[in-house]
Amino acid sequence: MAKLLTNEKENGKHSSGQVSTLATSVYDRIRMDIVSGALKPGKKLRTDELRLRYEAGNSPIREALNRLSSDGFVVREEQRGFSVAAISKVELQELVKTRCWLEETALRQSIENGDSEWEERLVLAHHRLSRVPRLIDPKSAARNAEWDRLHREFHMALIAACGSRLLLGFCEQLHDQSDRYRQLAVAASYPARDPMDEHEAIYLAAIDRDADKAVDLLLNHYQKTAKIIEESDLSFDM
């Protein structure tokens, strides 16, 4: 195990830039663990435990937690510290509604603006996703982290040519917040659908530059996911 950063190192030997770089790394790892469900909703995020888990010092941990709080993945309560944000049906519905609003615009603009480079990126993203199994073991519903990564890449590739860095950033954040619900309910959602058929239809409509059809398919895709999650045995208001 890599040697933990000490407070002395943070205050003396590490510049603010180095601490910021470490904080970004810790932020990415904690965020990934929250989205994947490794850190459950409501879990207390104690600094001493996080230092051991992520092999980082107090300053990067605090900076990462503050950023995650701003992004809505973590909540901070006075005198009680940080914890993983709870989940609820109301929040899920709001996330999906907002995601549909934003990604309709992003997808329409991406289809209108997309050049050959965008098409190549989308073709490659779809091809890679189609070749990887969604679960490592369907019987146990053990999720495949590589599929999750490629799934995210495919959805971001669809809207990559929208022409707005800010819009892409909002869509990316909403994707991760929504995906936390999907991954927490993966055991219930797996037998209920074949998402590759849905991805294939969205992909073909986008490549054919049929914006109306692509948008309709994409929004139905998100709404179907939300319905399956709502009807699952996932414990909400955690």
Side-chain angles (χ1 to χ4, degrees):
M1 179 182 293
K3 188 176 181 180
L4 295 177
L5 293 175
T6 63
N7 289 335
E8 179 182 356
K9 284 184 177 180
E10 289 178 22
N11 295 330
K13 296 183 181 180
H14 284 271
S15 68
S16 60
Q18 288 174 307
V19 171
S20 181
T21 300
L22 287 169
T24 297
S25 175
V26 173
Y27 165 86
D28 289 339
R29 293 171 64 193
I30 297 177
R31 176 171 167 150
M32 183 182 301
D33 283 346
I34 292 173
V35 171
S36 70
L39 292 175
K40 301 296 184 184
K43 178 176 174 56
K44 295 292 183 184
L45 298 173
R46 297 180 173 85
T47 303
D48 55 344
E49 294 177 359
L50 296 178
R51 287 182 62 197
L52 291 172
R53 182 179 182 125
Y54 299 105
E55 301 178 352
N58 288 332
S59 292
I61 293 291
R62 284 195 298 267
E63 184 176 332
L65 290 175
N66 283 323
R67 288 177 60 187
L68 288 162
S69 178
S70 297
D71 289 347
F73 291 100
V74 163
V75 293
R76 180 178 185 178
E77 299 179 65
E78 291 296 330
Q79 309 301 323
R80 300 186 66 180
F82 293 93
S83 60
V84 178
I87 60 173
S88 70
K89 287 188 177 181
V90 171
E91 183 191 56
L92 173 62
Q93 292 164 356
E94 184 178 3
L95 283 171
V96 173
K97 182 188 296 184
T98 307
R99 190 179 181 192
C100 287
W101 287 340
L102 295 183
E103 289 204 26
E104 175 173 359
T105 297
L107 183 55
R108 288 187 184 279
Q109 289 299 308
S110 195
I111 289 173
E112 180 178 341
N113 300 333
D115 55 13
S116 59
E117 184 177 341
W118 169 73
E119 285 193 3
E120 289 172 6
R121 175 178 174 179
L122 183 55
V123 169
L124 183 59
H126 175 263
H127 174 71
R128 287 174 172 169
L129 180 61
S130 67
R131 294 176 63 85
V132 175
R134 183 181 173 200
L135 299 181
I136 296 175
D137 180 8
K139 292 182 180 179
S140 64
R143 45 179 288 274
N144 185 346
E146 179 65 5
W147 188 92
D148 292 333
R149 183 183 69 80
L150 294 173
H151 178 243
R152 188 177 192 271
E153 285 188 5
F154 170 72
H155 277 282
M156 294 310 298
L158 282 167
I159 61 175
C162 71
S164 171
R165 179 181 56 83
L166 290 175
L167 181 55
L168 284 173
F170 289 134
C171 290
E172 187 173 29
Q173 183 173 333
L174 288 170
H175 175 280
D176 288 350
Q177 290 178 337
S178 301
D179 207 45
R180 181 163 74 118
Y181 284 83
R182 182 188 64 80
Q183 297 208 40
L184 288 169
V186 68
S189 64
Y190 178 73
R193 73 197 299 191
D194 181 0
M196 279 315 302
D197 286 347
E198 297 171 37
H199 292 148
E200 175 84 7
I202 297 166
Y203 158 74
L204 290 175
I207 288 294
D208 289 342
R209 308 288 176 148
D210 189 338
D212 289 340
K213 183 176 181 180
V215 165
D216 185 56
L217 290 167
L218 183 66
L219 301 194
N220 284 336
H221 178 64
Y222 292 156
Q223 290 159 357
K224 183 175 182 179
T225 299
K227 183 177 180 181
I228 291 171
I229 294 171
E230 288 178 8
E231 294 175 351
S232 73
D233 58 0
L234 180 63
S235 297
F236 288 94
D237 299 309
M238 295 171 63

